Amino acid sequence: MIYDNIDFHNVEDLKQVNMLPGLRLVRFPKKVQEAIIGSGHQHGVYRSMRPDGCELRFVSPSERIDIDLMAVGEDSIASVFYGSRFHKNVVLPAGKIITITLKVPDQYKISDLKKLECGRNEKTTFANNVWRIQVGLQGFVHYLGLNSYAAEIRPPKADEVPARKWLAYGSSITCGMCATSYANSYVNKTAVHLGLDAFNKAMSGSCFIENAVADYYSGFDADVCTLELGINMCGIFEPAEFKARVEYLLKKISENKSLKKIAILDIFPHRGEFTLDTETTEYKNTPIYRAIVKEAAENWCKKDSRFIYIQSKSILPGTEHLCTDILHPSDEGHSVIARKLAEYLA
């Protein structure tokens, strides 16, 4: 969405929240949030307001730009890019308004910018003059304003951002949880490798495949879609309910004619498989859920050539690249996933 001449990438709404300053970056439309509440799992609404993979993108000739952000609930990190190049990380302490000051890097002032731009693939990278402030992982993020000191501000043009779009759905693993910044998440790393513009619509702790979410994705304009399914449901839902939701999701996704490739991932290796208590629901349901995803995915692969099935263990083999919670990938784990997933999506 466009606001203040800024492209709020991966943002569906800018929401005023109680008496807090600024506007909260929200990744899902209000009608989807209302439907999630109606399904009895309010936690998903909370997660839909987390800014995983949201970016503020703009172009300006200004020598100095100040942009005010505030994290709420937990500290967060803003990663700043100039074009496709990393510029700096800025810590956003919870409850404190932080002014991020942007200036054209000194090296750019003494470089041949035409030569820098010359090797750029317009379909897979960002133009060198696009400022990008990327946020995600912890807490909420509020936008309070931008000052370009009378200089023009405009959103990037279509040929200044990657052409192909990627819709990513899944759990906190897809959100990038436990990476040291969102920039190190597997979604971001895969997007960079393949030259995709990623829209991260994962729901940490609440990837429950509600019908409203499936309906939303059925009309989402994207070229590639990945669906990481099961980890958040295997300890809560009965297998029959999970199967019904998977089948509805895949049916609705198949109706999205903009998608050229649809990748279905089953449950990544996780702590529920390694518990000493083999009577837990997670332990018992994990192989059942994997089998449900495999069967549904393979059925769609036969009917629709756009579908591919990926065993998550094939792109994250072993557990050495998990964090000590035995659930979320480390930075290296996200890199391993990204390298192997890119081979499937290329």
Side-chain angles (χ1 to χ4, degrees):
M1 66 177 298
I2 306 298
Y3 181 82
D4 276 358
N5 287 327
I6 300 168
D7 177 15
F8 283 79
H9 172 76
N10 198 34
V11 175
E12 290 280 3
D13 191 17
L14 292 168
K15 182 179 178 64
Q16 179 71 55
V17 179
N18 299 326
M19 299 299 291
L20 292 172
L23 299 170
R24 180 169 296 179
L25 279 60
V26 179
R27 291 181 300 130
F28 283 77
K30 183 179 179 180
K31 65 178 182 179
V32 177
Q33 294 178 337
E34 291 172 344
I36 291 173
I37 292 175
S39 70
H41 293 96
Q42 190 175 10
H43 188 64
V45 177
Y46 162 72
R47 294 299 183 180
S48 73
M49 293 187 181
R50 298 279 283 266
D52 305 309
C54 294
E55 294 189 12
L56 282 65
R57 299 173 175 176
F58 52 88
V59 175
S60 176
S62 181
E63 294 183 0
R64 176 187 176 119
I65 299 166
D66 290 331
I67 186 162
D68 296 327
L69 299 177
M70 184 178 75
V72 176
E74 299 177 69
D75 295 351
S76 192
I77 294 176
S79 296
V80 181
F81 295 82
Y82 199 39
S84 294
R85 299 182 182 90
F86 175 75
H87 183 55
K88 63 180 177 180
N89 278 333
V90 179
V91 176
L92 305 177
K96 184 177 180 180
I97 298 172
I98 297 297
T99 299
I100 300 176
T101 297
L102 305 177
K103 297 180 180 179
V104 175
D106 291 340
Q107 191 60 43
Y108 279 57
K109 298 175 183 177
I110 58 173
S111 297
D112 187 331
L113 299 184
K114 289 185 178 180
K115 284 186 178 179
L116 275 179
E117 188 76 8
C118 184
R120 175 181 169 250
N121 185 332
E122 291 185 357
K123 294 184 178 181
T124 60
T125 60
F126 293 89
N128 291 321
N129 61 341
V130 177
W131 283 110
R132 301 163 52 216
I133 301 177
Q134 183 186 79
V135 292
L137 303 185
Q138 304 300 330
F140 306 109
V141 171
H142 288 218
Y143 166 75
L144 285 82
L146 180 150
N147 193 340
S148 62
Y149 302 95
E152 178 195 9
I153 291 284
R154 66 166 176 84
K157 299 174 184 176
D159 62 355
E160 293 175 328
V161 301
R164 291 196 302 152
K165 300 174 183 178
W166 170 19
L167 168 62
Y169 179 55
S171 68
S172 55
I173 296 170
T174 296
C175 286
M177 189 63 66
C178 287
T180 51
S181 70
Y182 180 80
N184 288 325
S185 68
Y186 87 78
V187 171
N188 189 67
K189 286 178 174 290
T190 306
V192 171
H193 185 76
L194 294 179
L196 298 171
D197 202 4
F199 291 77
N200 194 326
K201 300 297 183 181
M203 304 275 274
S204 56
S206 50
C207 178
F208 295 153
I209 322 179
E210 295 93 344
N211 284 1
V213 173
D215 294 342
Y216 170 50
Y217 295 157
S218 70
F220 198 95
D221 181 20
D223 301 274
V224 178
C225 175
T226 56
L227 307 168
E228 176 235 329
L229 306 175
I231 185 65
N232 291 151
M233 296 181 69
C234 67
I236 304 173
F237 292 81
E238 292 295 326
E241 177 65 19
F242 175 66
K243 181 177 182 180
R245 294 192 181 200
V246 169
E247 290 178 345
Y248 184 81
L249 172 65
L250 300 190
K251 177 180 180 296
K252 297 303 292 186
I253 285 289
S254 74
E255 296 171 3
N256 188 328
K257 301 308 179 184
S258 71
L259 293 172
K260 311 298 188 299
K261 186 168 290 189
I262 303 165
I264 306 165
L265 290 72
D266 62 16
I267 299 177
F268 280 101
H270 69 100
R271 59 194 175 203
E273 299 179 86
F274 306 104
T275 178
L276 293 172
D277 184 359
T278 58
E279 294 302 312
T280 66
T281 304
E282 269 192 325
Y283 183 87
K284 292 179 178 179
N285 277 352
T286 293
I288 298 172
Y289 272 44
R290 284 198 177 114
I292 288 171
V293 173
K294 183 175 187 291
E295 180 182 9
E298 289 182 342
N299 284 340
W300 274 102
C301 288
K302 295 174 184 176
K303 294 186 288 186
D304 190 328
S305 62
R306 297 176 299 163
F307 281 78
I308 58 173
Y309 167 57
I310 302 173
Q311 289 184 306
S312 291
K313 286 184 176 180
S314 72
I315 59 176
L316 187 66
T319 60
E320 63 271 23
H321 296 309
L322 296 179
C323 293
T324 51
D325 64 0
I326 319 297
L327 176 62
H328 297 103
S330 62
D331 278 354
E332 182 57 32
H334 281 283
S335 293
V336 170
I337 294 172
R339 288 195 297 270
K340 292 181 178 294
L341 180 60
E343 295 175 4
Y344 283 98
L345 299 184

